[in-house]
Amino acid sequence: MRSRTAESAIAEEQSFLDTALDRRDRLAGHLSTELEEAAEDALDHSRRRMLKRQYDELRRARDGLVFGRLDGLDGTVRHIGRIGLRDQREDADPLVLDWRAPASRPFYTATPLDPQGQARRRHIRTSGSVVTGVDDEPLDEKSDGSLVGEGALLAALGERRTGRMSTAISTLQREQDDIVRAGATGPLIVQGGPGTGKTVVALHRVAYLLFTHRHMAERAVLVLGPSPRFLDYIAQVLPALGETAVVSATCDTLLPGVTVARGEDRRISEIKGRAMWQQTLERYVGSLLPQPRNLELRWEGDAYVIPAGTVAQALASATQGRAYHQARAAFAAQLHHLLADAVAEQRESLLESMEEGFEDILARFSGPDSPAGPSASDVDGLLSEDELEDLRERIATHPTIARFLASIWPVRDPAVTVRSLLHDQDLLHRYAPELTDDEKALVAAEPGAWAPSDIPLLDAVAELLGEESPQLQGEFMADRARSRRDWVYGHVVIDEAQELSEMQWQMVLRRCPSRSITAVGDIDQAEASHRHTSWAQAVQATLGDRWTPAELTICYRTPREVMELTGPVLAKAGSHNAPPRAVRSSGITPWEHTVAADELVGTAAQAVRELQERWAGGTVGVVAPVARAEELRAALGGVPVLTATEAKGLEWDATLVIDPTGIAAEPRGWNGLYVALTRCTQELGQLHLV
């Protein structure tokens, strides 16, 4: 039973929540009216987008509107919520502080050792519009200060998993909040083991940055995840935090209009992921530029020659700092001027030669009193500026000149350009000398359909050629950003960043040249084909030493009983890192059974049924070796059966790991087994084969 003190606290917070919800409803109604009036008055798009953004924030914030409270040592009381709400009185403090506002930070960082002017922190639990509980944490008493709002945190961790990630703005811990609010002036790379909240931190950092640095919303934020399944898992977090200026993608889907159509061998993936391809592609595209030579053009039946020296100057000017097609356009403009000048000069010379011996006669037609006037080009051979400009325009739009330009400087398709290099061993020998003969042969023998490692190469060539996506218009910034290959984002967040190849990192930098990047991951969970075993190795080719490391050291999700199993697995994976410290116990000892191969499917089905019964209302997941996944999917119905790679970033109440030895035998298999063992929040079971 609740104590009278607890009941009084709940009643107090219920009264405040009722007031806040009423204020939210009134503000939402006011904005709805403004939106209707804006549509009728054809208000400008930016104003309408701002109103709609504010309205959507209020509409989504009804659930979890208020979740915290700070009682200051000076007697001030501040409530913390999903969004900020202004009081009806203009001169009053905000009714609810936005969790991202600087004044809210003590809610996440104050401790008894560093109370930051606060006497008490209160976590408020709600269900819809009803306050269901409060957890008070005195900040003027001594404690170890290791966890902020421990009761609320452990209550949240103990809840059943739904298959979708939820927000954690009410339970962020200090080391997490430090990363959420860190500066955004350069790459921040966050190392965090299983259950440390890497993804939660990354997504809340997006919401914080968009709230604090409004200019980022003007360019949108790109969130890169490891798989479509993962992106679906996190899909509702940012909208729930009030942020919609976000584009979510994987590296495979980052290039508009291009689809990955096949898998690939790990060795090929590793070869094509190397940073050396950037220089290879630059050399190859550079070789496609025309070389200086005499150019012979025809105009209205006459031949004109532009000397090689003049052509060289035009080429040098056109290609300076420009991509292939932009340089082509600049050279075309110069070519049109050079030809027009050649035509004018030849005309002048011809008339001068015809005038010899007829000076007295022509003089009668050239003075100010002559019928032709003083500037007649048909008498003195000189074209006026207007006539010369008209000639240039006719040259620029003439199909013959366009065909001549196409013959010396053709328009190139990025896909054709990439394939012409990759499938030609002679070209690879010339432009990719870093590859061995065996590696060149492997690359050249690949099928034509796009594989994951081809996407960064295609993206690099599209950038070098200067191909641009259609500049589609839309009401939402994210829609426009998503449609453009060459869009420059305000910030990029990368989850499971340890999986990116060096060429995929290049893709990221092209989309964020400011290097305002947050990358989170666990280098010990890396399963990609590259050979990096440290963050320094992973980013050296693209970021050098210009990045800031951060670390999450506390495991909130995975119970202590499971984390105790991971030390030997990490050692066999070649890791030098200690597993994160688990702060909670599920009270359930991980269990293991050994079965014969022909009994595996039946035993697995029975184990899943038992887990589902024990964790009714929650989720159960199965992780298996690649070779067994399809058979188990067919046998286990709607239960998610994933490989270790597919399971990365996901969590379930209970996890059944099938054939751990088989997982460990896969490429980088000990890293994969580390992933598999750490997906549960409550119970772990393993089925070994005899």
Side-chain angles (χ1 to χ4, degrees):
M1 293 179 63
R2 290 176 179 154
S3 67
R4 289 185 178 179
T5 301
E7 290 179 352
S8 174
I10 290 173
E12 180 184 16
E13 298 306 337
Q14 182 66 61
S15 176
F16 181 84
L17 180 61
D18 292 342
T19 299
L21 286 170
D22 179 69
R23 181 63 176 152
R24 186 213 73 96
D25 292 343
R26 290 177 181 273
L27 288 171
H30 178 69
L31 284 170
S32 178
T33 301
E34 281 196 73
L35 276 169
E36 292 176 3
E37 293 174 353
E40 294 175 1
D41 296 342
L43 206 63
D44 66 89
H45 288 295
S46 60
R47 171 69 173 161
R48 189 156 51 245
R49 282 198 300 270
M50 183 191 72
L51 290 173
K52 189 172 190 312
R53 173 189 173 90
Q54 293 174 344
Y55 175 75
D56 288 343
E57 284 182 346
L58 287 169
R59 180 176 53 82
R60 283 190 295 262
R62 184 168 182 83
D63 291 333
L65 176 62
V66 179
F67 57 76
R69 169 175 149 171
L70 285 171
D71 292 5
L73 291 168
D74 60 359
T76 59
V77 174
R78 296 184 179 92
H79 280 85
I80 315 297
R82 190 179 297 277
I83 62 170
L85 285 179
R86 63 182 185 273
D87 197 278
Q88 288 180 318
R89 297 167 297 162
E90 293 295 330
D91 59 342
D93 290 334
L95 182 67
V96 179
L97 277 176
D98 192 298
W99 71 274
R100 295 161 290 192
S104 297
R105 194 170 192 202
F107 184 77
Y108 301 103
T109 58
T111 67
L113 299 178
D114 179 23
Q116 299 174 34
Q118 307 304 315
R120 181 179 66 178
R121 173 176 31 237
R122 171 173 286 178
H123 287 262
I124 303 166
R125 298 194 302 275
T126 61
S127 176
S129 59
V130 177
V131 175
T132 59
V134 297
D135 292 291
D136 282 339
E137 186 180 3
L139 295 171
D140 53 359
E141 298 177 1
K142 296 299 182 183
S143 75
D144 64 6
S146 61
L147 293 179
V148 171
E150 183 172 356
L153 173 65
L154 297 182
L157 292 172
E159 292 176 354
R160 293 288 194 267
R161 268 40 201 171
T162 64
R164 291 290 185 93
M165 177 172 283
S166 59
T167 66
I169 47 177
S170 63
T171 56
L172 285 176
Q173 299 299 297
R174 178 158 192 160
E175 70 170 13
Q176 296 174 322
D177 189 72
D178 286 343
I179 293 170
V180 167
R181 298 174 194 261
T185 56
L188 177 68
I189 297 182
V190 181
Q191 163 63 29
T196 55
K198 299 182 293 294
T199 300
V200 163
V201 166
L203 296 178
H204 287 69
R205 178 163 168 77
V206 170
Y208 170 76
L209 291 175
L210 287 171
F211 175 84
T212 308
H213 306 284
R214 290 299 185 183
H215 65 277
M216 286 187 182
E218 298 173 4
R219 301 303 306 173
V221 170
L222 172 64
V223 175
L224 278 180
S227 67
R229 180 187 289 269
F230 176 83
L231 294 179
D232 181 62
Y233 175 61
I234 67 172
Q236 80 288 351
V237 175
L238 285 169
L241 294 174
E243 299 302 343
T244 56
V246 177
V247 173
S248 298
T250 68
C251 285
D252 290 356
T253 64
L254 199 50
L255 205 51
V258 178
T259 302
V260 170
R262 64 180 178 88
E264 62 188 333
D265 180 81
R266 285 180 64 87
R267 187 179 178 193
I268 296 289
S269 174
E270 187 277 322
I271 293 169
K272 290 197 291 189
R274 298 174 190 170
M276 48 81 48
W277 282 100
Q278 186 63 37
Q279 290 185 325
T280 293
L281 297 170
E282 290 173 3
R283 289 191 290 260
Y284 179 56
V285 171
S287 75
L288 302 176
L289 296 170
Q291 300 304 306
R293 61 181 175 88
N294 290 338
L295 296 182
E296 182 175 335
L297 300 92
R298 299 194 67 81
W299 178 253
E300 296 183 344
D302 294 323
Y304 300 89
V305 176
I306 300 176
T310 303
V311 173
Q313 292 177 348
L315 284 170
S317 174
T319 56
Q320 185 67 35
R322 291 187 178 95
Y324 178 95
H325 288 111
Q326 281 68 47
R328 181 183 188 272
F331 178 77
Q334 294 190 57
L335 182 65
H336 301 152
H337 279 70
L338 290 170
L339 178 57
D341 291 344
V343 171
E345 290 172 7
Q346 183 163 307
R347 176 173 179 167
E348 181 182 354
S349 298
L350 179 61
L351 287 178
E352 285 179 355
S353 66
M354 292 175 63
E355 289 174 1
E356 294 181 7
F358 297 93
E359 290 84 353
D360 293 340
I361 298 172
L362 290 171
R364 286 181 287 168
F365 293 91
S366 60
D369 298 327
S370 68
S375 61
S377 61
D378 57 346
V379 174
D380 60 16
L382 295 176
L383 295 179
S384 68
E385 281 301 319
D386 288 343
E387 289 171 323
L388 191 57
E389 184 61 31
D390 178 68
L391 175 60
R392 289 169 183 158
E393 290 180 3
R394 287 191 292 122
I395 288 172
T397 57
H398 202 281
T400 300
I401 304 303
R403 285 193 295 269
F404 176 82
L405 179 64
S407 69
I408 63 169
W409 199 326
V411 172
R412 297 187 183 274
D413 177 78
V416 174
T417 304
V418 170
R419 289 185 172 115
S420 68
L421 172 64
L422 295 184
H423 297 162
D424 189 322
Q425 287 196 62
D426 291 336
L427 290 178
L428 289 172
H429 181 75
R430 188 180 313 163
Y431 298 108
E434 300 89 343
L435 300 180
T436 67
D437 289 342
D438 286 347
E439 289 171 339
K440 293 168 191 167
L442 285 171
V443 171
E446 282 280 277
W450 297 122
S453 67
D454 291 319
I455 303 302
L457 306 186
L458 181 58
D459 186 66
V461 168
E463 180 78 7
L464 292 168
L465 291 179
E467 291 290 278
E468 293 188 355
S469 304
Q471 299 192 22
L472 301 181
Q473 297 299 312
E475 182 178 0
F476 297 105
M477 177 66 62
D479 294 333
R480 298 200 298 276
R482 192 178 290 109
S483 70
R484 294 281 299 275
R485 182 204 62 79
D486 57 345
W487 188 268
V488 174
Y489 289 90
H491 192 79
V492 176
V493 170
I494 312 168
D495 206 331
E496 302 295 347
Q498 74 277 359
E499 304 300 338
L500 266 62
S501 70
E502 291 169 337
M503 286 304 291
Q504 287 172 328
W505 271 104
Q506 291 281 6
M507 287 182 76
V508 172
L509 290 184
R510 276 191 286 277
R511 285 155 178 81
C512 193
S514 68
R515 300 191 172 205
S516 181
I517 298 167
T518 301
V520 302
D522 182 2
I523 203 70
D524 292 324
Q525 294 186 55
E527 294 181 88
S529 58
H530 58 67
R531 300 165 186 170
H532 308 138
T533 57
S534 71
W535 285 112
Q537 290 176 338
V539 302
Q540 178 62 40
T542 48
L543 303 181
D545 298 326
R546 292 173 296 175
W547 55 280
T548 301
E551 188 172 6
L552 295 168
T553 62
I554 302 173
C555 174
Y556 307 100
R557 178 192 68 209
T558 312
R560 190 177 299 117
E561 293 87 346
V562 173
M563 291 306 299
E564 289 173 353
L565 302 178
T566 61
V569 176
L570 275 180
K572 291 178 180 178
S575 170
H576 301 289
N577 299 319
R581 177 173 63 90
V583 296
R584 56 183 283 269
S585 169
S586 68
I588 303 171
T589 302
W591 52 267
E592 304 175 66
H593 296 315
T594 300
V595 299
D598 59 354
E599 299 175 353
L600 177 63
V601 173
T603 304
Q606 178 60 32
V608 166
R609 284 193 294 271
E610 293 174 359
L611 289 172
Q612 288 176 321
E613 290 175 2
R614 282 198 291 275
W615 300 104
T619 58
V620 175
V622 176
V623 186
V626 174
R628 300 188 180 277
E630 283 302 324
E631 178 187 15
L632 288 165
R633 286 188 189 113
L636 299 182
V639 177
V641 178
L642 307 177
T643 65
T645 299
E646 294 168 336
K648 192 167 299 178
L650 305 180
E651 62 180 38
W652 303 287
D653 293 279
T655 303
L656 179 64
V657 178
I658 293 179
D659 189 12
T661 302
I663 295 174
E666 294 174 343
R668 298 193 80 156
W670 289 106
N671 301 84
L673 184 56
Y674 182 52
V675 172
L677 294 175
T678 54
R679 296 305 94 199
C680 73
T681 64
Q682 302 293 343
E683 181 176 357
L684 171 68
Q686 299 181 68
L687 293 182
H688 299 272
L689 293 180
V690 176

